[in-house]
Amino acid sequence: MKLQTMLRGRSYAFRGLKDVLAKANEERSGDRLAGIAAGDMTERVAAKLLLADCTLSHIRENPLLPPGEDEVSRVIEEGLDQEMYAAVRGWTVAELREYILAAGTGGSDLLRLGRGLTSEMIAAVCKLMSNLDLIQAAAKLEIVTTCRTSIGYRGTLASRAQPNHPADHIPGVKASLFEALAYGIGDAVIGINPVGDTTETVKSLLHATREVIEHWRIPAQNCVLGHVTTQMRAVEEGAPADLLFQSLAGTEEANLGFGIDLALLLEADALIRERGTAPGKNRWYFETGQGSELSSGAHGGIDQVTLEARCYGLARRFQPFIVNTVVGFIGPEYLYDSKQVTRAGLEDHFMGKLHGLPMGVDVCYTNHMKADQNDMEALGVLLAAAGVNFVIGVPMGDDCMLNYQSLSYHDIAAIRETLALRPAPEFAAWLEERGLYSNGRLTAAAGDPRIFLY
């Protein structure tokens, strides 16, 4: 791989593949914080030019974190389709981009291709794509998964209902959940972030959501987003869980900071397959977000886009039901403003989809970031156009427990109506039975949670 080029009469030299990948990123405050970002736009273009001519075989043969030193690297390497890789190993990153965006390349072609690419290759091509490229490419991919129900069909936009409560108060959780259901939100999952990460709290929330699901015969999945070990104890004690949840990072060291490793995830996988309450084969919910490795000092000098791609390389080992990036949650130290959040959301969605994952996005920001609700609504529309599997809704766009801003239940309903997208098929049929949905849109009865009063 060439590491030096001339641009506008100036010579640019890079230290290696890791340096080129970092400096080829679009502007990212996290990379600047880590001291690995391009110094200016011209240096960024120089890095992109060199990356474009880099072969896929060079990327594989020069690992940023050797498999002998990092188990995420080992998972990525072991999961590679060797036959598919052999067919494309001589391609440059530029040729990979051209193939992905070619008019004759369909979604099934991209899914086959993705199995022969390492996460670093997928991150590399992402850095050569515009926002519209990322939307166009991701929109080709239809990835359907099944837990209790199935989501991901083309022409649909699923949603997670996130009825968090600052005291884990069951009636308060239910009140928020009923508002979500009244707007047609919750077909991807009814997922609650608990304040107290205790077995008893997780058990009570799982039982409460299961009671609502069974009473109203809702075609949906439940999940409580405690630490995976807490969820495992709850399941072992008889709690009804359709999915297990865990946040993932792109390095072994960062995952250890989360209190997980591959052995623990494999143990949890065996448990949810034996004791979980869903009939489908996809029983995991993973969450990621650019910057998590840097925030724990476990990034290894690797840029945050490449690290995010490595999260997806780990996630696909477990055939999850849903994955989402919490795109603006960590803060402006990693994604400074709405422009960076928008770019990261489109990057993460594309990279997850090319990994073959059922990718969603929590379209969100923190209040000390240079962004507002208009920015999030715009990103929601862009992701829906890109075929995102699901997005997350919170009451009035304001999570009163996690203290950040996301899409509201009504925002998601508005995006569906504007772009002629439907909820997941079984959920749409259920909404029609409840009188909340008709002819592809919500009825006048929608939005009133009193329909779910016992």
Side-chain angles (χ1 to χ4, degrees):
M1 177 187 182
K2 284 181 58 181
L3 295 174
Q4 188 168 342
T5 188
M6 290 288 295
L7 190 61
R8 302 185 70 178
R10 179 179 170 187
S11 177
Y12 291 90
F14 301 88
R15 296 187 301 275
L17 177 61
K18 185 186 295 188
D19 193 32
V20 171
L21 285 167
K23 289 181 168 56
N25 265 355
E26 293 301 303
E27 179 68 22
R28 206 59 40 102
S29 57
D31 291 340
R32 198 157 296 285
L33 178 64
I36 60 175
D40 54 31
M41 179 64 77
T42 311
E43 186 178 23
R44 181 173 299 114
V45 172
K48 288 178 186 286
L49 288 171
L50 292 173
L51 184 60
D53 289 336
C54 179
T55 63
L56 303 185
S57 62
H58 181 86
I59 294 174
R60 186 183 182 192
E61 292 162 8
N62 292 270
L64 308 185
L65 277 175
E69 301 174 9
D70 182 274
E71 69 179 13
V72 176
S73 297
R74 289 196 294 276
V75 169
I76 293 168
E77 181 66 24
E78 291 165 2
L80 197 65
D81 183 321
Q82 299 294 341
E83 184 177 347
M84 187 69 243
Y85 167 72
V88 300
R89 65 185 306 276
W91 288 9
T92 64
V93 179
E95 289 170 331
L96 175 60
R97 175 186 176 274
E98 291 304 308
Y99 179 81
I100 289 170
L101 296 173
T105 304
S108 59
D109 301 317
L110 291 182
L111 287 174
R112 284 194 300 273
L113 171 66
R115 291 192 286 269
L117 302 176
T118 66
S119 300
E120 287 81 358
M121 296 172 196
I122 291 173
V125 74
C126 178
K127 297 166 192 284
L128 301 186
M129 297 170 76
S130 71
N131 286 7
L132 184 56
D133 291 341
L134 297 170
I135 293 169
Q136 178 191 0
K140 297 182 180 186
L141 290 154
E142 179 185 48
I143 299 170
V144 177
T145 51
T146 302
C147 186
R148 286 172 64 89
T149 62
S150 298
I151 66 168
Y153 295 102
R154 192 173 303 281
T156 66
L157 173 61
S159 54
R160 169 187 162 191
Q162 185 170 298
N164 296 342
H165 192 278
D168 291 330
H169 185 52
I170 297 298
V173 168
K174 287 187 175 181
S176 176
L177 174 55
F178 293 152
E179 182 189 13
L181 295 170
Y183 277 114
I185 306 306
D187 44 344
V189 66
I190 297 169
I192 302 168
N193 299 86
V195 178
D197 189 26
T198 68
T199 306
E200 289 305 312
T201 296
V202 170
K203 285 169 61 178
S204 67
L205 290 169
L206 284 170
H207 281 291
T209 51
R210 177 49 46 82
E211 185 271 331
V212 171
I213 287 171
E214 291 183 350
H215 182 86
W216 297 104
R217 301 189 302 279
I218 305 169
Q221 296 69 217
N222 75 335
C223 185
V224 175
L225 285 67
H227 192 271
V228 67
T229 54
T230 312
Q231 297 168 75
M232 290 168 71
R233 288 192 296 270
V235 170
E236 288 166 346
E237 295 180 16
D242 296 324
L243 293 165
L244 286 182
F245 165 85
Q246 182 54 47
S247 295
L248 298 180
T251 68
E252 179 179 355
E253 184 182 358
N255 280 319
L256 290 173
F258 284 157
I260 63 168
D261 59 15
L262 180 60
L264 177 60
L265 293 176
L266 291 170
E267 180 185 348
D269 187 63
L271 176 66
I272 195 63
R273 295 191 182 284
E274 179 185 351
R275 302 282 295 274
T277 48
K281 68 176 182 177
N282 307 116
R283 302 189 185 184
W284 276 100
Y285 176 7
F286 291 124
E287 211 163 62
T288 67
Q290 288 192 28
S292 62
E293 299 84 3
L294 178 58
S295 69
S296 62
H299 60 100
I302 302 170
D303 69 273
Q304 62 189 52
V305 174
T306 302
L307 289 169
E308 182 70 10
R310 286 169 55 87
C311 295
Y312 305 140
L314 176 58
R316 71 176 168 184
R317 165 69 176 77
F318 295 91
Q319 297 183 303
F321 177 64
I322 48 177
V323 180
N324 75 260
T325 171
V326 193
V327 68
F329 182 73
I330 304 181
E333 299 85 358
Y334 310 97
L335 296 171
Y336 181 70
D337 56 16
S338 60
K339 182 176 182 179
Q340 292 187 21
V341 170
T342 297
R343 173 70 187 187
L346 297 175
E347 288 170 341
D348 296 356
H349 176 243
F350 162 75
M351 292 192 298
K353 282 286 186 69
L354 194 53
H355 277 86
L357 293 174
M359 198 66 197
V361 178
D362 188 356
V363 182
C364 62
Y365 67 103
T366 57
N367 284 312
H368 59 312
M369 180 182 289
K370 289 174 68 75
D372 60 27
Q373 205 66 24
N374 285 330
D375 299 318
M376 298 306 103
E377 291 172 9
L379 177 54
V381 172
L382 292 175
L383 287 163
V388 69
N389 276 36
F390 75 103
V391 291
I392 292 178
V394 301
M396 299 179 69
D398 181 10
D399 191 304
C400 61
M401 192 277 279
L402 291 173
N403 195 29
Y404 79 115
Q405 314 304 308
S406 187
L407 295 177
S408 72
Y409 302 145
H410 183 269
D411 291 336
I412 300 170
I415 291 171
R416 282 174 174 164
E417 182 172 323
T418 302
L419 299 182
L421 299 170
R422 297 173 63 89
E426 294 160 278
F427 198 80
W430 175 80
L431 289 171
E432 289 177 350
E433 291 173 4
R434 305 303 311 173
L436 298 170
Y437 196 70
S438 179
N439 297 319
R441 59 193 304 162
L442 293 175
T443 67
D448 186 350
R450 292 175 297 178
I451 191 175
F452 296 105
L453 289 176
Y454 290 80

